[in-house]
Amino acid sequence: MQPRKLYVETMGCQMNVLDSELVIGQLTARSFALSDDVSDADVVLINTCSVRAHAEDKVLSHLGALRRRKQRNPDMIVGVIGCMAERDPGGLVAKMPHIDLICGPGELNKIPAMIDELDETRRRVIALSQSQSRRSTALQRATEYDSVEALDLSRSACIQDHPTQAYVRVQRGCDKFCTFCVVPFTRGPERSRPPEQIVNEARMLVDRGAVEITLLGQTVNSYIHQDSGRAVPFSELLSRLNDIDGLERLRFVTSYPGDFGDDILQAMRDLPKVCEYLHLPVQSGSDAVLGRMRRQYSVGEYVDLVKRAREFVPGITLATDFIVGFCGETDEEFADSLRLVERIRFKNVFVFKYSERPGTVASKRVTDDVPDDVKRQRNIALLRLQERISMEHNRTLIGETPEVLVEGYSKRAVKAQEAEQTRGDEIGHEESSQLVGRTRTDRIVVFPGDIRLTGRSIKVRIKAATALTLHGELVDEDGVARMPGRLSNRVQIGG
Ligand code: SF4
């Protein structure tokens, strides 16, 4: 019998990328075949994000296109999984009655059984964690979300796009209840996984070829686990993971500025595998706005944390998130955000225009009163400022030879190769063999090279820079340029 074809579309954050990978692992273990072509799929799952209205609009548009496909092929299963499924299952079904399966992020381990049930009954199946309200007790909420642990524990070593990089979840949910955010409602309360489970999972991934592991948590630095009556903090978890033989790099996202202790900065300084990079969302440069967002730190405390991070970890780079146009944000409050960007000089910033999310505290208590065009202008102003800063940063790196972990072909090379294949276009060797990698400080570097370098840490001399990307050439350990496509004897290539 032919295996059934599975197509998974993933939107949103790294947590969703990992969830999709684990769902794919569960289904391919049950003889589904993963397809990258939605048009011949038997099961289509859309893993959704609810953080912004725009992300939900995109899901609805995908589902609209699938309705026509489902009319032609009624046996096709259409599933919506993740945060949007948890947030508004009734609204989804009302708008898109052709959905067969709805599954919240806390119930993803049930998907194989849900598909079995669908096959048998042909009736829509729904699995949600019921805790939509913070009025539930902590125990109720934790119990309601517990069953999803099985998803991480079921992990096979299937690593998707980048065979040498892997995500490992250390924590689920969030207890912060920032007023703009749906995550505590869709992913439940904060629960930290046992450290031995995390270390075993990381060790398995390294044994199967991963050299870089990124630890995931909504507020990853808040990780704490009671282990035989003793609390294991995040810094200790980093230390245990640092001991894994064969692991080269350890990263973690996303950190919450209010919970960042010096023990983690010390670990970043002392543990050689922990990279010198922090994603530390600030959201606003105004204390008044941070108060309305119910972020549990002030701008002064954030600046102090950055100062300490730079003292403990010389050369560390910082990325951040801003929300512009949050309820009541005045011109002066926005100017505070611009001043903060000038002051901190981030490596990069991710800017989001505020969009009200139903059910959040902000949607009930404050008014989304900043006009759209003002949000748009503030978005552009912040990005322009950061672009100048990133450009200035990156230019200072020209002539340096940082260590780069190779991830594979660059997007441009992949496009060039596709053009070669589909249209027979003549593409220069340099363009189609361009590789991409990252420095320990999370800077993106492209350079011509041999694809067999993927997963290797190599030296690249930086020759040019844009705001987003560094361009370089491979050098050997003596700093001598190496010809692309030829490998030094010193680099052992497996296989
Ligand atoms: S810390 Fe705030 S923004 Fe981050 S996931 Fe929790 S509630 Fe959402």
Side-chain angles (χ1 to χ4, degrees):
M1 204 172 87
Q2 287 283 324
R4 289 162 91 186
K5 289 192 181 143
L6 167 71
Y7 176 87
V8 180
E9 175 100 27
T10 305
M11 321 193 79
C13 62
Q14 294 101 328
M15 201 67 93
N16 269 12
V17 173
L18 175 59
D19 280 342
S20 289
E21 185 182 322
L22 298 182
V23 168
I24 290 167
Q26 286 196 325
L27 291 175
T28 49
R30 292 167 57 111
S31 76
F32 279 82
L34 188 61
S35 167
D36 57 5
D37 180 4
V38 68
S39 67
D40 73 344
D42 302 298
V43 176
V44 177
L45 299 177
I46 305 182
N47 195 357
T48 57
C49 170
S50 279
V51 168
R52 275 169 285 285
H54 178 65
E56 292 199 345
D57 292 344
K58 261 170 87 177
V59 172
L60 293 175
S61 146
H62 280 311
L63 286 167
L66 285 171
R67 186 191 335 235
R68 290 183 287 282
R69 209 174 286 288
K70 174 112 178 148
Q71 277 161 358
R72 290 196 296 274
N73 175 12
D75 289 337
M76 181 177 76
I77 291 175
V78 176
V80 179
I81 65 177
C83 288
M84 193 174 172
E86 184 73 35
R87 191 189 72 71
D88 188 21
L92 271 170
V93 171
K95 287 183 201 128
M96 301 285 162
H98 57 290
I99 299 172
D100 302 297
L101 179 153
I102 294 183
C103 185
E107 306 291 317
L108 298 176
N109 56 308
K110 296 183 179 149
I111 286 179
M114 292 170 82
I115 292 177
D116 287 347
E117 190 180 329
L118 253 174
D119 287 342
E120 214 169 282
T121 65
R122 312 307 300 170
R123 303 233 317 253
R124 180 181 300 125
V125 283
I126 299 178
L128 302 169
S129 305
Q130 293 304 310
S131 181
Q132 295 278 333
S133 161
R134 67 182 308 188
R135 282 192 295 275
S136 314
T137 66
L139 182 63
Q140 272 171 341
R141 298 177 76 229
T143 309
E144 284 157 3
Y145 281 85
D146 262 356
S147 68
V148 79
E149 279 299 327
L151 186 67
D152 291 288
L153 293 174
S154 74
R155 182 173 199 158
S156 66
C158 88
I159 305 171
Q160 299 299 316
D161 289 347
H162 297 296
T164 56
Q165 296 170 294
Y167 292 133
V168 173
R169 186 180 348 252
V170 302
Q171 179 201 55
R172 288 180 178 276
C174 181
D175 285 336
K176 298 286 187 263
F177 286 94
C178 301
T179 56
F180 55 83
C181 184
V182 290
V183 167
F185 302 97
T186 59
R187 290 194 177 261
E190 182 185 309
R191 291 93 73 214
S192 294
R193 296 179 66 201
E196 59 278 7
Q197 266 185 26
I198 297 166
V199 172
N200 287 343
E201 189 173 320
R203 197 174 279 128
M204 174 192 71
L205 292 162
V206 170
D207 286 347
R208 309 286 167 93
V211 291
E212 177 178 282
I213 284 182
T214 302
L215 308 177
L216 299 185
Q218 238 74 44
T219 56
V220 68
N221 54 313
S222 320
Y223 174 94
I224 187 152
H225 190 269
Q226 295 293 334
D227 196 10
S228 315
R230 196 178 72 83
V232 176
F234 188 59
S235 52
E236 185 175 331
L237 179 68
L238 288 175
S239 173
R240 293 194 195 182
L241 289 161
N242 186 74
D243 289 342
I244 295 176
D245 284 340
L247 179 65
E248 289 181 24
R249 288 185 179 185
L250 198 48
R251 299 185 184 278
F252 53 92
V253 286
T254 291
S255 296
Y256 184 75
D259 291 344
F260 214 102
D262 283 356
D263 60 322
I264 303 175
L265 296 174
Q266 274 162 14
M268 293 182 77
R269 178 193 63 197
D270 297 338
L271 302 172
K273 295 176 186 174
V274 181
C275 292
E276 299 82 8
Y277 168 73
L278 269 185
H279 181 210
L280 203 56
V282 65
Q283 307 299 8
S284 172
S286 151
D287 279 337
V289 176
L290 290 180
R292 294 200 290 281
M293 292 176 166
R294 208 189 282 149
R295 300 287 284 182
Q296 295 162 25
Y297 52 86
S298 65
V299 175
E301 285 164 343
Y302 185 92
V303 170
D304 183 57
L305 169 58
V306 169
K307 187 166 163 271
R308 282 184 286 122
R310 286 177 169 158
E311 281 166 6
F312 272 100
V313 190
I316 192 171
T317 57
L318 296 149
T320 198
D321 298 348
F322 277 94
I323 294 174
V324 293
F326 185 66
C327 308
E329 186 187 63
T330 63
D331 287 345
E332 187 48 35
E333 286 166 346
F334 173 65
D336 285 339
S337 291
L338 292 172
R339 279 190 278 272
L340 186 69
V341 170
E342 282 279 18
R343 184 168 179 191
I344 303 280
R345 295 181 69 80
F346 296 99
K347 176 182 78 73
N348 59 314
V349 303
F350 301 93
V351 186
F352 305 100
K353 289 179 286 171
Y354 174 64
S355 72
E356 185 177 284
R357 306 289 47 235
T360 56
V361 178
S363 72
K364 293 173 191 154
R365 301 220 182 128
V366 277
T367 311
D368 179 11
D369 54 359
V370 178
D372 258 358
D373 64 323
V374 174
K375 288 178 184 169
R376 197 169 42 80
Q377 284 161 20
R378 289 178 184 174
N379 188 359
I380 293 168
L382 209 43
L383 286 175
R384 281 213 180 118
L385 170 59
Q386 181 57 41
E387 190 181 341
R388 172 175 62 74
I389 292 169
S390 297
M391 190 63 164
E392 287 168 5
H393 262 313
N394 282 354
R395 281 200 180 131
T396 65
L397 299 172
I398 294 174
E400 292 198 3
T401 53
E403 178 196 287
V404 173
L405 179 63
V406 184
E407 295 180 355
Y409 283 122
S410 69
K411 280 188 190 147
R412 195 163 148 207
V414 171
K415 270 195 196 144
Q417 290 162 13
E418 282 169 1
E420 262 176 339
Q421 273 168 13
T422 54
R423 300 201 304 271
D425 292 358
E426 288 264 329
I427 308 288
H429 174 70
E430 185 154 324
E431 190 161 349
S432 61
S433 67
Q434 191 185 62
L435 303 181
V436 64
R438 264 168 220 266
T439 65
R440 287 175 59 95
T441 51
D442 203 49
R443 289 194 163 92
I444 297 168
V445 184
V446 295
F447 54 96
D450 189 304
I451 191 60
R452 289 174 295 164
L453 288 168
T454 301
R456 304 280 162 178
S457 292
I458 51 154
K459 291 279 185 185
V460 177
R461 181 186 295 125
I462 305 306
K463 292 164 64 184
T466 67
L468 292 178
T469 311
L470 300 171
H471 296 260
E473 65 180 359
L474 272 170
V475 290
D476 65 18
E477 282 155 22
D478 302 320
V480 179
R482 295 202 337 236
M483 292 296 287
R486 292 174 58 196
L487 298 167
S488 152
N489 290 336
R490 285 182 221 167
V491 183
Q492 284 290 307
I493 302 298

